[in-house]
Amino acid sequence: RIMRPDDANVVGNVHGGTILKMIEEAGAIISTRHCNSQGGEPCVAALARVERTDFLSPMCIGEVANVSAEITYTSRHSVEVQVNVMSENILTGAKKVTNKATLWYVPLSLKNVNKVLEVPPIQYARKEQEDEGKKRYEEQKLDRLETKQRNGDVIIPVINPEPHTVGYSQSSLIHLVGPSDCTLLGFVHGGVTMKLMDEVAGIVAARHCKTNIVTASVDAINFHEKIKKGSVITISGRMTFTSNKSMEIEVFVDADPFVDEPRERYRAVSAFFTYVSLSKEGKPLPVPQLLTETEDEKRRFEEGKGRYLQTKAKRQAQMQQAAQP
Amino acid sequence: RIMRPDDANVVGNVHGGTILKMIEEAGAIISTRHCNSQGGEPCVAALARVERTDFLSPMCIGEVANVSAEITYTSRHSVEVQVNVMSENILTGAKKVTNKATLWYVPLSLKNVNKVLEVPPIQYARKEQEDEGKKRYEEQKLDRLETKQRNGDVIIPVINPEPHTVGYSQSSLIHLVGPSDCTLLGFVHGGVTMKLMDEVAGIVAARHCKTNIVTASVDAINFHEKIKKGSVITISGRMTFTSNKSMEIEVFVDADPFVDEPRERYRAVSAFFTYVSLSKEGKPLPVPQLLTETEDEKRRFEEGKGRYLQTKAKRQAQMQQAAQP
Amino acid sequence: RIMRPDDANVVGNVHGGTILKMIEEAGAIISTRHCNSQGGEPCVAALARVERTDFLSPMCIGEVANVSAEITYTSRHSVEVQVNVMSENILTGAKKVTNKATLWYVPLSLKNVNKVLEVPPIQYARKEQEDEGKKRYEEQKLDRLETKQRNGDVIIPVINPEPHTVGYSQSSLIHLVGPSDCTLLGFVHGGVTMKLMDEVAGIVAARHCKTNIVTASVDAINFHEKIKKGSVITISGRMTFTSNKSMEIEVFVDADPFVDEPRERYRAVSAFFTYVSLSKEGKPLPVPQLLTETEDEKRRFEEGKGRYLQTKAKRQAQMQQAAQP
């Protein structure tokens, strides 16, 4: 579809969250279709996880987003979908790859939302494809277990914070879940949640560096808990790390099912977003260093640095590999 | 994309206007891309006309709309696009044709919106395709000239109208044109206008018969005049004709460019919409007869009857043709 | 959240209605949460009244709206919420108070929408806070009874009106209530209604003075009647008074529950909005004088003048008080 002014920031770059929402919708369609293809109990595919996603080039107002999705692996209870987004300038004909994302879905029964159904297996062109898929499946399963730990943290507001401290840029947003935010099962679309997360992370980044910012990447996101229609969700973000030209922001989503539910507020999702600051010509700008004050902030900064260095090393390894004959 | 509650009426049928908007967006993308494909002066394709469109089967919340578009004819200054919409129930896999629509676009220069550019010719697989396209082109050109006449009419409100009279159900809506309603040229997308027209026509139909109603067809619509960002548009609808099971509603769109423009209010578009009333099981219900009072109302009723009988005759002819071996 | 192009008029000032909608959403969340905090029958807090609200400074596209809400008084069956809106320019860090609003909510049972539940009492830091709250409670109760009278009036359209007469700028809008407009109880959010009211009032003001206009204040609004999903609402506005630099517009909301309801059209809400006209530099411009023709128009003009002078006197008294040591 054509990108509109509301999809973009003031200089015309489309929000990463808008793109994540389109990606997730495409993934939900293809995996729901696949999981119902053998007849049997009708189901809706729910987003369980999005792998780390890089935004390769910014998309602009007036460009057309071409989204294509393909199922690349199926386990007994989950579907891996690869989604590619190309931006197309229909005036010049220029096309660019904006994103490649990998998403995992789980089929939930329409009649009983707590029942996970079986996934019809797909055919692989080559045996290696299945083996590689299985490896990815095992890796993400491990990673999902790990992130379950980190969920107790809260963001406490700071009065009169100093510029460039964590408290200075941290932000939160509340949203009342409406009917159009939800799937047929009455739970929030993963894409809607990611769009709100990107919105908060973008505000944190802009508050910190006071310039035009764009989403550079999103770390793997695990959707542990469903969010029901009528809930109030609080999305909070705080900066955890800055390199010379990038900022890492941690985002939490907490759900309050406070009507007709005996349940307490709970942490539904959390993730790391990386932003860069761009000049009007689209060049990366230096970013003010994050000032850490407490022990926790210093620890999180070091952890963020670890993730940053790991990603950098991985990318260099890939580039070297690509450069080899 | 997946149809959401906001796209539909209370019983879950997707509004005809939502579908028309998707059709127009697809048409605008493919024709803008085509008109810029030879380099030269950059342009945006603006909707000039939509041919009569039938809604063959209702689409529901949760279904996926598959929209495909193809360029079927080019004249020197216009492009004919054929758009097909299929609804797909991704749970059962069932697909149904919802619409087939034919749209005409004209390329306007990005630098000078009043300059119509030349359209690169397409290649035809067979000579007859070109001849048939040329025939359609000539027919629509003629029809566009004719409808230009009818444009002076206004809808005058009635105080305390009787049920089932024209004054009883007539309705109007004002809308302030926002940035997301507009193309890169700063003019309202044809699809946005059609969605608003369907909204008003639907309210007229529902006020008349007080039951669940759906769009059955839209007569050819000509877009004579562009509408600029920041304008206020008034969309008015009145019932012109009822058969046993259908209602015809005439809709006018008037634009008021009231900020920083010396221009008067003008008629931008007008069209006829046909609605049917459906029971909860999806069966057509009888419709209360329209009570005409003035001479003008009686004349419009007869004209509507003429259109109704003509369409009916055409459809029967097509069915007989289709039944022949 | 970040203000987007669609939230604002052509010169970039955010619509008052967008702000009122955010305020009401925050109020609904905090009061629904409070009313469900003691367990017992689940309920949704419905907006009963908004006190007079001044827009202290315009908000612009790209700014972030910070909305904070606090419960300041509870009676047996109602909750008073104070909401503050700050606009923050995240590029410069500048913050300004945009609004302070006071809203009253009533908890309605989720199972039986006509049953008003009891509100858990709040703790006051000082006895005077409770006494002042009680005084505000009694005052608004009185005012709500009074406004019930004024509700019979209708806006009758005028053919070919002269510029600057009441008939020249009066406007009305119809809206079909969709799922996203509604609470869990299936009734329109008060904030949605206020946004539509501001939209109509803004069009009346712009038609009158043909310049850029912004909402300056909204008089107290009482929500006497709920509006159900699937209703058609007609929002009508007419100018009642002009001072040198401001315009007062009266807005009515009428609901038509026309599908599967035996009920007649009824007046749901009415209110006065005040607008000012701003130059491109943000300076107030003089406003053309309203031309009154009928006796009713002259009477309403005088009443509007009364409200204008009263507000002016109150503001001067407050300023003097604030200036004292």
Side-chain angles (χ1 to χ4, degrees):
Chain A
R1 67 178 187 82
I2 303 178
M3 294 295 111
R4 291 181 297 243
D6 267 17
D7 297 324
N9 63 20
V10 275
V11 304
N13 298 134
V14 172
H15 295 299
T18 302
I19 299 169
L20 289 170
K21 191 165 177 253
M22 286 189 296
I23 287 173
E24 201 273 320
E25 185 164 342
I29 290 173
I30 194 173
S31 50
T32 301
R33 187 190 282 152
H34 176 75
C35 294
N36 286 287
S37 61
Q38 306 274 303
E41 208 171 324
C43 62
V44 170
L47 182 67
R49 177 179 164 91
V50 181
E51 298 293 347
R52 183 190 159 79
T53 305
D54 290 304
F55 290 80
L56 306 170
S57 67
M59 201 183 285
C60 296
I61 297 175
E63 291 187 342
V64 173
N66 291 298
V67 182
S68 60
E70 188 194 359
I71 295 180
T72 42
Y73 181 75
T74 51
S75 76
R76 198 171 161 202
H77 290 299
S78 67
V79 180
E80 186 199 49
V81 182
Q82 178 84 35
V83 182
N84 293 324
V85 184
M86 305 266 291
S87 68
E88 176 189 1
N89 182 326
I90 47 175
L91 302 186
T92 65
K95 285 185 190 185
K96 279 185 296 186
V97 175
T98 302
N99 276 95
K100 293 185 182 199
T102 306
L103 300 93
W104 294 88
Y105 288 86
V106 167
L108 303 178
S109 164
L110 246 192
K111 285 166 203 154
N112 173 3
V113 75
N114 295 314
K115 189 174 165 194
V116 177
L117 300 181
E118 298 212 356
V119 173
I122 59 163
Q123 301 298 324
Y124 301 92
R126 287 170 302 115
K127 180 73 172 67
E128 301 96 83
Q129 290 181 339
E130 183 168 4
D131 295 343
E132 285 161 20
K134 183 154 196 178
K135 211 177 125 201
R136 290 194 300 272
Y137 169 72
E138 298 295 346
E139 278 172 6
Q140 60 89 25
K141 208 170 158 182
L142 214 71
D143 188 80
R144 279 165 76 173
L145 285 173
E146 271 173 30
T147 53
K148 277 216 171 170
Q149 320 296 316
R150 226 196 13 209
N151 281 346
D153 231 350
V154 238
I155 290 180
I156 296 161
V158 177
I159 314 301
N160 293 326
E162 289 295 307
H164 306 138
T165 58
V166 175
Y168 181 70
S169 58
Q170 71 186 18
S171 305
S172 73
L173 184 157
I174 47 174
H175 175 74
L176 180 59
V177 174
S180 285
D181 298 330
C182 293
T183 65
L184 283 179
L185 291 168
F187 294 101
V188 178
H189 279 291
V192 170
T193 309
M194 289 193 285
K195 188 165 186 283
L196 289 165
M197 293 170 87
D198 177 68
E199 196 173 329
V200 168
I203 292 175
V204 173
R207 277 184 168 155
H208 181 77
C209 65
K210 316 262 180 225
T211 53
N212 178 44
I213 50 88
V214 297
T215 317
S217 68
V218 184
D219 247 37
I221 309 180
N222 294 305
F223 292 81
H224 293 302
E225 299 269 7
K226 294 185 287 285
I227 304 170
K228 211 176 162 180
K229 183 158 72 186
S231 300
V232 168
I233 51 182
T234 305
I235 304 107
S236 322
R238 68 174 166 211
M239 197 162 287
T240 45
F241 167 74
T242 49
S243 73
N244 287 339
K245 297 202 174 161
S246 72
M247 298 161 272
E248 188 196 60
I249 294 121
E250 184 172 20
V251 183
F252 301 112
V253 180
D254 295 300
D256 238 328
F258 63 94
V259 175
D260 72 20
E261 284 267 338
R263 216 179 150 184
E264 290 279 295
R265 173 192 272 235
Y266 58 94
R267 174 74 32 99
V269 196
S270 70
F272 292 102
F273 284 72
T274 300
Y275 279 76
V276 291
S277 167
L278 291 185
S279 72
K280 276 175 191 172
E281 296 74 37
K283 289 236 169 117
L285 294 174
V287 160
Q289 176 83 351
L290 180 68
L291 302 179
T292 53
E293 297 174 311
T294 69
E295 282 310 303
D296 278 347
E297 288 172 11
K298 288 181 207 302
R299 181 182 47 75
R300 285 196 297 264
F301 191 94
E302 288 308 313
E303 290 169 2
K305 196 174 189 170
R307 282 184 294 270
Y308 170 75
L309 293 172
Q310 212 183 337
T311 307
K312 208 172 161 180
K314 243 186 223 168
R315 202 178 302 149
Q316 282 173 342
Q318 281 171 353
M319 279 165 69
Q320 279 173 6
Q321 218 175 6
Q324 275 169 5
Chain B
R1 67 178 187 81
I2 303 179
M3 295 295 111
R4 292 180 297 244
D6 277 3
D7 298 323
N9 62 20
V10 275
V11 304
N13 298 133
V14 172
H15 296 298
T18 302
I19 299 169
L20 289 170
K21 191 163 177 260
M22 287 189 297
I23 286 173
E24 200 274 321
E25 185 164 343
I29 290 174
I30 195 173
S31 50
T32 300
R33 186 190 282 151
H34 177 74
C35 293
N36 285 287
S37 61
Q38 307 275 304
E41 207 172 326
C43 61
V44 169
L47 182 66
R49 177 179 164 93
V50 181
E51 299 292 345
R52 183 191 160 80
T53 306
D54 291 302
F55 290 79
L56 305 170
S57 66
M59 203 183 284
C60 296
I61 297 174
E63 291 187 340
V64 172
N66 291 297
V67 181
S68 59
E70 189 193 358
I71 294 180
T72 42
Y73 182 74
T74 51
S75 76
R76 197 171 162 201
H77 290 300
S78 66
V79 180
E80 186 200 50
V81 182
Q82 178 84 36
V83 182
N84 293 323
V85 183
M86 305 267 291
S87 69
E88 177 190 359
N89 182 324
I90 48 175
L91 303 185
T92 64
K95 283 186 190 184
K96 279 184 296 186
V97 174
T98 301
N99 276 95
K100 293 183 181 197
T102 305
L103 300 92
W104 294 88
Y105 288 86
V106 167
L108 303 178
S109 163
L110 247 191
K111 285 166 205 154
N112 173 2
V113 75
N114 295 314
K115 188 174 164 194
V116 178
L117 300 181
E118 297 213 357
V119 173
I122 60 164
Q123 301 298 325
Y124 301 92
R126 287 171 300 117
K127 180 73 174 69
E128 300 97 82
Q129 290 181 340
E130 184 169 3
D131 295 344
E132 284 163 21
K134 184 153 196 178
K135 211 178 126 200
R136 290 193 301 272
Y137 169 72
E138 298 295 346
E139 277 172 8
Q140 61 91 24
K141 210 170 156 182
L142 215 72
D143 188 79
R144 279 164 76 173
L145 285 173
E146 272 175 30
T147 54
K148 274 217 173 167
Q149 320 296 315
R150 224 193 21 208
N151 280 345
D153 229 352
V154 237
I155 291 180
I156 296 163
V158 177
I159 314 302
N160 293 324
E162 288 294 307
H164 306 135
T165 58
V166 174
Y168 182 69
S169 57
Q170 71 186 19
S171 304
S172 76
L173 184 156
I174 47 175
H175 176 74
L176 180 60
V177 174
S180 286
D181 298 330
C182 292
T183 66
L184 282 180
L185 291 168
F187 294 101
V188 178
H189 279 291
V192 169
T193 309
M194 289 194 285
K195 189 165 185 282
L196 289 166
M197 293 170 87
D198 178 68
E199 199 173 323
V200 168
I203 290 174
V204 173
R207 277 187 166 153
H208 181 78
C209 66
K210 315 264 182 216
T211 53
N212 177 46
I213 50 88
V214 297
T215 317
S217 68
V218 184
D219 248 36
I221 309 182
N222 294 306
F223 292 82
H224 294 301
E225 299 268 8
K226 295 185 287 284
I227 304 170
K228 211 176 163 180
K229 184 158 74 184
S231 300
V232 168
I233 50 180
T234 304
I235 304 108
S236 322
R238 67 174 166 210
M239 197 164 286
T240 43
F241 168 73
T242 48
S243 73
N244 286 339
K245 297 201 173 162
S246 72
M247 298 160 274
E248 187 197 59
I249 294 120
E250 184 170 22
V251 182
F252 302 110
V253 179
D254 295 299
D256 239 327
F258 67 97
V259 176
D260 67 26
E261 282 268 340
R263 212 180 154 184
E264 289 281 296
R265 172 191 273 233
Y266 58 94
R267 173 74 32 97
V269 196
S270 69
F272 292 101
F273 284 71
T274 300
Y275 280 76
V276 291
S277 166
L278 291 185
S279 72
K280 277 175 188 171
E281 295 74 36
K283 289 236 170 117
L285 293 175
V287 160
Q289 177 82 352
L290 180 68
L291 301 180
T292 51
E293 296 173 312
T294 68
E295 282 312 303
D296 277 347
E297 287 173 12
K298 288 182 207 300
R299 179 181 49 74
R300 286 196 297 265
F301 192 93
E302 288 308 313
E303 289 168 3
K305 196 174 189 171
R307 284 184 293 270
Y308 171 75
L309 293 173
Q310 212 182 337
T311 308
K312 207 173 162 181
K314 242 186 223 171
R315 200 178 302 148
Q316 281 173 342
Q318 281 171 351
M319 279 165 70
Q320 278 173 5
Q321 217 174 7
Q324 276 167 5
Chain C
R1 67 180 187 80
I2 303 180
M3 294 296 110
R4 292 182 297 240
D6 278 3
D7 296 324
N9 62 19
V10 275
V11 303
N13 298 133
V14 172
H15 297 299
T18 302
I19 299 169
L20 289 170
K21 190 163 178 260
M22 286 189 298
I23 287 173
E24 200 274 321
E25 185 164 340
I29 289 173
I30 195 174
S31 50
T32 300
R33 188 187 281 151
H34 176 75
C35 293
N36 285 287
S37 62
Q38 306 275 301
E41 207 171 325
C43 62
V44 170
L47 182 66
R49 176 180 165 92
V50 181
E51 298 293 346
R52 182 190 159 78
T53 306
D54 290 302
F55 290 79
L56 305 171
S57 67
M59 203 182 282
C60 295
I61 297 176
E63 292 187 340
V64 172
N66 290 297
V67 182
S68 60
E70 189 194 358
I71 294 181
T72 41
Y73 182 74
T74 51
S75 76
R76 198 173 160 200
H77 290 300
S78 66
V79 180
E80 187 200 49
V81 182
Q82 178 84 35
V83 182
N84 293 323
V85 183
M86 304 267 290
S87 68
E88 177 189 359
N89 183 325
I90 46 177
L91 301 185
T92 64
K95 284 186 190 184
K96 281 184 295 185
V97 175
T98 302
N99 277 97
K100 293 184 181 198
T102 305
L103 301 93
W104 294 88
Y105 288 86
V106 167
L108 303 178
S109 164
L110 247 191
K111 284 166 203 153
N112 174 2
V113 76
N114 295 313
K115 187 173 165 195
V116 177
L117 300 181
E118 298 213 356
V119 172
I122 58 163
Q123 301 298 322
Y124 302 91
R126 288 171 299 116
K127 181 72 174 67
E128 300 97 83
Q129 291 180 339
E130 184 168 2
D131 295 344
E132 284 161 21
K134 184 153 197 180
K135 212 178 125 201
R136 291 193 301 273
Y137 170 72
E138 298 294 347
E139 278 172 6
Q140 61 90 26
K141 210 170 157 182
L142 215 71
D143 187 80
R144 278 164 77 174
L145 285 173
E146 272 173 29
T147 53
K148 277 217 172 168
Q149 320 296 315
R150 227 198 11 214
N151 281 346
D153 231 350
V154 237
I155 291 181
I156 296 163
V158 177
I159 314 302
N160 294 324
E162 289 295 308
H164 306 138
T165 58
V166 174
Y168 182 70
S169 58
Q170 71 184 18
S171 303
S172 76
L173 184 157
I174 47 174
H175 175 74
L176 178 59
V177 173
S180 287
D181 299 329
C182 292
T183 66
L184 282 180
L185 291 167
F187 294 100
V188 178
H189 280 293
V192 169
T193 309
M194 289 193 287
K195 189 164 185 285
L196 289 165
M197 292 170 87
D198 178 68
E199 199 173 324
V200 168
I203 290 173
V204 173
R207 279 187 166 154
H208 181 78
C209 65
K210 314 264 183 218
T211 53
N212 177 45
I213 50 87
V214 296
T215 317
S217 67
V218 184
D219 248 35
I221 309 181
N222 294 305
F223 292 81
H224 294 302
E225 299 267 7
K226 295 186 287 284
I227 304 170
K228 211 177 162 180
K229 183 157 74 185
S231 300
V232 168
I233 50 180
T234 304
I235 304 107
S236 322
R238 67 174 165 211
M239 197 162 288
T240 43
F241 168 74
T242 49
S243 73
N244 286 339
K245 298 203 173 160
S246 72
M247 299 161 272
E248 188 197 59
I249 293 121
E250 185 171 20
V251 182
F252 302 110
V253 179
D254 295 299
D256 239 327
F258 66 96
V259 175
D260 68 26
E261 282 268 338
R263 213 179 153 185
E264 288 281 297
R265 172 191 272 233
Y266 59 93
R267 173 72 33 98
V269 196
S270 70
F272 291 101
F273 284 70
T274 300
Y275 280 76
V276 291
S277 166
L278 291 186
S279 72
K280 275 174 189 173
E281 296 73 37
K283 288 238 170 116
L285 294 174
V287 160
Q289 177 82 353
L290 179 68
L291 301 180
T292 52
E293 297 173 312
T294 68
E295 282 311 304
D296 278 347
E297 287 173 11
K298 288 180 206 303
R299 180 181 48 74
R300 285 197 297 265
F301 192 92
E302 288 308 314
E303 289 168 3
K305 196 173 189 172
R307 283 185 293 271
Y308 171 74
L309 294 173
Q310 211 182 340
T311 307
K312 209 172 162 182
K314 242 187 223 170
R315 201 178 302 149
Q316 282 173 342
Q318 282 170 353
M319 278 166 71
Q320 279 173 4
Q321 218 175 8
Q324 276 167 5

